[in-house]
Amino acid sequence: MASQLNCLVHISVGVYTMFCCLFKRSLSSDSSSSNSSMSSNPRNKCVLQPGHSLMDWIRLGNSGKDLNGISGRIRPVTPTELSTHSTQEDAWLAIRGRVYNITYYLPYHPGGPEELMRGAGIDATELFDKVHPWVNYDSLLAKCLVGPLRADRPDAEELFDITNASPKSERLREPSKAQELVRKSMENLANCITPVRKKITTKSDDNVKGSPPSKIMQSLIQSSDLPVSISRRAASSPIKSDKAQGSPPPLRFDWIQTSMKLTISIYTGLLANPGGCAKITDGRLHVEVATDGWLRTVQLIPDEQIKDPLQLRVFSESGKIEVMASKVEHKVWKNVGVMSFGAATQISSPRTLDCRVMHVERVSHDTMLLALSPVSGPVIVPLGHHIRVHHKINDKECIRSYTPVGDGWDNFGGDLSALKLAIKRYDTGDLSPYLTSLKLGHLVTLSGPYGNFQLQKVRRHNKFFYICIS
Ligand code: HEM
């Protein structure tokens, strides 16, 4: 009973969160219009019919109405089936591999039903990201989820036919709507927020001051102490960098807050595969962002005090870098402070630097995990790039390449500029016996980053072959 109650509370909080998210949006147009960088941005928001506000949508969601059109069940959908749901009376669309029934949402869409219909019957991920990548569609459409988008395959039906759920299909089934909602609500609880989005212009050293949440919003946050997620329109979608002209990709940022945490999100552009690192020095937050061979420094002089530990998450595909800091004083800020952006410098050659061993962990009988923290300045290694370890053996320099492993590999969060290497020991090898016997505090020389891996969108392919080497 207690857990059921708990679950209900979470669900309703999640819904409340969604409400706040867009409620703020409508309250905050004044602050966005004061930002000159946004004025050129053509808005196409339409006036919703009475009874079609966000609140009404949430109410409809809670009314028990069958919003996904298949009695709340979740099942896979092939592109062929998806394409058959493309009318106003029966519209499905897919975003990031999930198919939603948007029929009921159409009159509630702030951009108007016609705009939303542009995505009907297709994988609308690109379209969606072009218009408003910040919109929390998965919360808004949680009850409209039909299921995962699966490739058209002759055996797909047998594998995924959920209409008579076999053990096989059970295994492949997506989490239930309730599970999804609870997961989202938990996430929101942990991330209660008041974001304010501002465009970072391409000009260097450009200072941008965040705009405050409205009075109504502040009192809502403070009086309720509920998680608040507010999404405000960001500036126009980032323009893909013109590498021919050698210009750095533009950045955008926004910030969100809870009474305890501040999160800065920096958007580098879709498929930009950025690398990032962050630290607090003299009360200021410094974030270094590497994209497409360019290094940018973003500095925040916060309005109030922040403190370690920082958390950094890089979303390679969407190009978002998220830095989360703790607030010294637990309260809602009016402004984030002053953001400034250093001039972009081209990363023309890899850096060589000494790193200190911060953490050593045995992963298996012959593999060690090392966390190495640069003594001066970071080496930012985007996804698919690598570093080299240099070591002199009998006056001869020995160099080996390693691809750092992601954060999922260990619990060592500590230093955000730390590189984590998984080293397999070969007793007859040159470098691995040395690396696997390093102790805390030892110094290692690294250089990097190396590599020219670029993320690309794969056009319609049904079969993939993976070649694994070691
Ligand atoms: C994929 C096809 C879609 C197109 C072409 C589209 C288009 C638009 C346009 C033109 C606007 C108004 C301009 C603006 O505020 O930026 C808008 C706003 C909005 N749309 Fe969509 N949309 C699509 C899908 C969706 C989906 C799937 C959702 C989520 C359920 C959604 C939710 C919203 C929200 C919440 C706003 C208001 C955003 C804000 O004020 O910041 N849209 N959309």
Side-chain angles (χ1 to χ4, degrees):
M1 179 64 189
S3 70
Q4 275 172 344
L5 250 176
N6 205 10
C7 170
L8 275 174
V9 168
H10 279 130
I11 290 174
S12 56
V13 165
V15 168
Y16 182 84
T17 305
M18 284 192 262
F19 161 61
C20 293
C21 161
L22 288 134
F23 185 47
K24 161 73 178 173
R25 179 62 204 83
S26 58
L27 288 171
S28 58
S29 52
D30 52 348
S31 48
S32 62
S33 60
S34 66
N35 179 357
S36 60
S37 62
M38 289 187 181
S39 55
S40 59
N41 187 18
R43 298 226 45 173
N44 197 13
K45 262 188 103 177
C46 77
V47 181
L48 296 169
Q49 293 300 309
H52 290 85
S53 68
L54 176 68
M55 202 52 192
D56 295 311
W57 173 243
I58 291 164
R59 230 175 262 134
L60 185 67
N62 287 337
S63 68
K65 196 172 174 74
D66 174 19
L67 290 185
N68 80 346
I70 51 169
S71 314
R73 306 197 68 184
I74 306 288
R75 65 168 177 81
V77 179
T78 63
T80 310
E81 184 186 5
L82 174 64
S83 66
T84 61
H85 298 271
S86 57
T87 63
Q88 291 240 5
E89 295 69 42
D90 175 23
W92 292 8
L93 65 63
I95 301 178
R96 279 183 246 298
R98 286 166 171 242
V99 178
Y100 298 95
N101 184 341
I102 48 160
T103 316
Y104 290 107
Y105 184 64
L106 283 166
Y108 296 85
H109 178 235
E114 294 77 20
E115 277 294 321
L116 187 52
M117 279 304 291
R118 288 170 59 204
I122 59 169
D123 180 347
T125 311
E126 212 166 308
L127 188 56
F128 179 88
D129 282 344
K130 262 189 199 146
V131 189
H132 40 36
W134 62 90
V135 166
N136 202 356
Y137 66 92
D138 50 348
S139 289
L140 281 167
L141 298 180
K143 298 203 171 172
C144 307
L145 181 68
V146 179
L149 184 62
R150 291 274 193 260
D152 290 296
R153 292 184 359 201
D155 57 341
E157 220 110 282
E158 191 256 321
L159 271 172
F160 297 126
D161 182 9
I162 314 284
T163 44
N164 45 53
S166 66
K168 215 178 199 173
S169 57
E170 281 292 339
R171 277 204 309 276
L172 295 161
R173 195 184 292 188
E174 287 285 288
S176 73
K177 284 188 312 169
Q179 281 169 327
E180 269 297 299
L181 267 178
V182 171
R183 186 188 60 76
K184 266 263 129 298
S185 310
M186 300 281 275
E187 238 174 63
N188 289 334
L189 269 172
N191 287 310
C192 47
I193 3 185
T194 15
V196 176
R197 294 172 189 261
K198 284 281 170 189
K199 179 174 184 174
I200 293 177
T201 70
T202 46
K203 277 181 266 158
S204 58
D205 295 322
D206 190 7
N207 290 348
V208 183
K209 214 161 165 49
S211 50
S214 70
K215 282 203 178 118
I216 300 174
M217 212 55 220
Q218 280 184 50
S219 62
L220 244 174
I221 299 161
Q222 262 146 356
S223 64
S224 63
D225 203 30
L226 280 168
V228 180
S229 163
I230 305 152
S231 174
R232 283 200 43 203
R233 181 176 174 73
S236 56
S237 333
I239 307 143
K240 212 56 194 139
S241 67
D242 187 348
K243 284 182 206 153
Q245 287 179 10
S247 57
L251 301 179
R252 294 182 289 125
F253 89 99
D254 66 23
W255 63 286
I256 54 178
Q257 63 174 318
T258 70
S259 55
M260 291 157 76
K261 301 257 183 210
L262 173 73
T263 305
I264 304 289
S265 298
I266 297 169
Y267 301 90
T268 62
L270 209 61
L271 301 178
N273 189 18
C277 77
K279 64 176 177 207
I280 299 175
T281 319
D282 300 330
R284 297 172 177 199
L285 175 68
H286 298 269
V287 188
E288 298 217 50
V289 178
T291 39
D292 284 340
W294 292 90
L295 184 70
R296 313 279 284 274
T297 310
V298 181
Q299 183 186 254
L300 170 70
I301 306 175
D303 258 20
E304 310 274 344
Q305 283 178 295
I306 52 172
K307 61 176 182 182
D308 283 311
L310 289 178
Q311 279 175 281
L312 181 116
R313 289 167 75 193
V314 176
F315 301 83
S316 306
E317 197 186 332
S318 68
K320 181 166 89 162
I321 294 179
E322 214 176 67
V323 184
M324 195 192 283
S326 302
K327 291 179 174 178
V328 171
E329 220 181 308
H330 293 176
K331 63 175 190 181
V332 176
W333 297 6
K334 286 190 178 157
N335 284 304
V336 69
V338 179
M339 284 283 246
S340 58
F341 311 97
T345 51
Q346 233 159 345
I347 313 169
S348 45
S349 55
R351 301 184 60 196
T352 300
L353 78 174
D354 286 333
C355 294
R356 201 170 291 287
V357 178
M358 302 294 288
H359 183 79
V360 180
E361 192 179 317
R362 180 172 292 281
V363 183
S364 73
H365 68 285
D366 61 359
T367 304
M368 302 291 284
L369 190 82
L370 292 181
L372 305 171
S373 175
V375 174
S376 59
V379 170
I380 302 174
V381 189
L383 188 77
H385 290 61
H386 63 278
I387 51 98
R388 288 178 190 159
V389 179
H390 302 246
H391 182 57
K392 277 209 171 125
I393 300 172
N394 300 330
D395 276 347
K396 212 175 127 208
E397 191 174 40
C398 180
I399 302 173
R400 291 288 180 277
S401 298
Y402 287 96
T403 304
V405 294
D407 288 332
W409 272 71
D410 68 332
N411 297 322
F412 175 79
D415 183 344
L416 291 181
S417 58
L419 290 169
K420 280 148 241 160
L421 304 182
I423 317 277
K424 182 171 175 184
R425 183 186 178 99
Y426 293 91
D427 288 335
T428 53
D430 284 333
L431 213 52
S432 64
Y434 155 73
L435 288 173
T436 49
S437 58
L438 286 169
K439 300 277 178 282
L440 290 188
H442 282 174
L443 286 178
V444 183
T445 306
L446 298 185
S447 66
Y450 298 95
N452 52 13
F453 175 80
Q454 299 219 322
L455 286 179
Q456 283 176 24
K457 200 158 199 117
V458 180
R459 308 245 168 248
R460 276 187 75 91
H461 288 287
N462 291 338
K463 283 188 182 156
F464 291 91
F465 295 95
Y466 294 90
I467 300 173
C468 303
I469 55 163
S470 168

